[in-house]
Amino acid sequence: EIAAEKRMGAGESQGYQGAAEVPEVPASFNQSVRWRPVPLLHNPRTPRIAFRSGRDQADGDNGKSIRYRRRSMQTITTTPELAALCETLSRSDYVAVDTEFLREQTFWPLLCLIQLAGPEAEAIVDPLAPGLDLAPFYQLMADTSTVKVFHAARQDIEIVFLKSGVVPTPVFDSQVAAMVCGFGDSISYVNLVKKTTGADLDKSSRFTDWSRRPLSPKQLDYALADVTYLRDVYQRLRQTLDKTGRTPWLQEEMGVLTSPATYDTSPENA
């Protein structure tokens, strides 16, 4: 239930070249959640980090690149900010989505961060910010005109469903798509980014307690990379699916992910 599971991969194929060894979670990690409403960044007066989106990605075999404009990192802590962001993202044909959450001593997960990135905007949403209403985010997840792109989507979709009753749709799971495209079963996000873009992601913040505040700029940078590079991965996988005619294979798998029955996690049925 932490970022490491999707970044490192829960079931990397032993034959996959370049797969990283999954380190053990420190014994001190699973402790009770301690949170107080403090700013997401170390110092609210500190300028937001200048963040360059994912490394230039080759467009097929023609040597062209998909490029995103350099922007400052946006951290969302109020409902009007979130509504404006989601309005912008809803005008795109896709949005990359990731969440950070903790499962501590309770059955239900604690949603700690939401990362969102489209072609024209990217931001981190702080669900723990006092007074923040996530309704605009849930409306975006239910918008059938915008594809929601996840990597290893099931746990992210589950927490959205548990919090709102909404199953994001339509969905594109890059881990499943990578399998359909021949990258092997359960490839991690880190390895898929490396294979499709050539970028090496910083893994040093993978065991962060995302419920703590404030988070450091490095931790926020790490979290946002889970969606900024995912835009590049999505474009490459879509190209491969279109070339190979395997899109229907992926759609069949996505039918399971978007079924509410998949997320029936009531304690009596656990």
Side-chain angles (χ1 to χ4, degrees):
E1 287 76 24
I2 54 179
E5 180 172 343
K6 289 192 289 184
R7 284 216 173 206
M8 303 303 294
E12 287 291 353
S13 171
Q14 293 181 352
Y16 181 76
Q17 298 299 315
E21 181 179 356
V22 180
E24 294 183 358
V25 177
S28 61
F29 183 80
N30 288 322
Q31 297 182 5
S32 60
V33 175
R34 291 168 295 195
W35 174 78
R36 53 193 177 91
V38 296
L40 190 63
L41 290 170
H42 270 302
N43 185 343
R45 295 184 180 180
T46 302
R48 288 175 177 171
I49 312 160
F51 182 85
R52 181 174 296 167
S53 63
R55 179 173 171 172
D56 289 343
Q57 170 223 324
D59 183 6
D61 296 325
N62 59 12
K64 295 182 180 180
S65 297
I66 296 173
R67 297 176 181 273
Y68 301 98
R69 290 179 298 174
R70 182 170 181 168
R71 306 177 184 89
S72 295
M73 181 181 290
Q74 185 180 13
T75 55
I76 302 296
T77 58
T78 70
T79 304
E81 290 176 335
L82 179 59
L85 172 68
C86 291
E87 171 62 25
T88 298
L89 293 172
S90 69
R91 296 195 294 267
S92 304
D93 58 357
Y94 75 91
V95 56
V97 188
D98 190 41
T99 64
E100 309 296 346
F101 54 91
L102 296 178
R103 291 184 188 269
E104 295 295 328
Q105 304 302 319
T106 61
F107 184 80
W108 306 111
L110 174 67
L111 180 60
C112 301
L113 283 184
I114 302 169
Q115 304 98 286
L116 299 168
E120 299 298 328
E122 63 264 356
I124 289 179
V125 181
D126 183 6
L128 302 181
L132 178 63
D133 184 353
L134 292 176
F137 167 70
Y138 297 135
Q139 291 169 5
L140 177 63
M141 294 298 97
D143 186 347
T144 57
S145 66
T146 302
V147 176
K148 271 64 73 173
V149 183
F150 296 88
H151 183 82
R154 179 162 179 161
Q155 292 184 68
D156 297 303
I157 294 176
E158 178 188 36
I159 196 168
V160 172
F161 178 72
L162 292 175
K163 297 293 184 181
S164 67
V166 170
V167 175
T169 188
V171 165
F172 183 100
D173 187 329
S174 61
Q175 188 178 69
V176 178
M179 177 186 67
V180 173
C181 292
F183 286 89
D185 294 344
S186 303
I187 186 172
S188 70
Y189 180 66
V190 168
N191 287 333
L192 185 56
V193 168
K194 178 66 174 179
K195 282 288 187 179
T196 55
T197 75
D200 293 304
L201 297 185
D202 178 10
K203 302 183 288 292
S204 61
S205 297
R206 62 187 179 275
F207 293 126
T208 293
D209 179 348
W210 297 106
S211 69
R212 293 186 179 273
R213 297 294 185 270
L215 295 171
S216 71
K218 182 178 181 180
Q219 289 168 328
L220 294 175
D221 187 57
Y222 170 94
L224 193 59
D226 280 347
V227 288
T228 53
Y229 285 90
L230 187 54
R231 297 180 297 196
D232 300 331
V233 170
Y234 171 66
Q235 298 289 351
R236 284 298 298 273
L237 292 176
R238 282 296 303 270
Q239 291 167 8
T240 301
L241 289 168
D242 290 344
K243 288 180 180 179
T244 59
R246 295 179 179 179
T247 298
W249 301 6
L250 179 64
Q251 291 173 339
E252 182 177 348
E253 295 293 335
M254 295 303 96
V256 176
L257 279 176
T258 55
S259 170
T262 301
Y263 307 101
D264 182 8
T265 56
S266 53
E268 60 269 22
N269 294 328

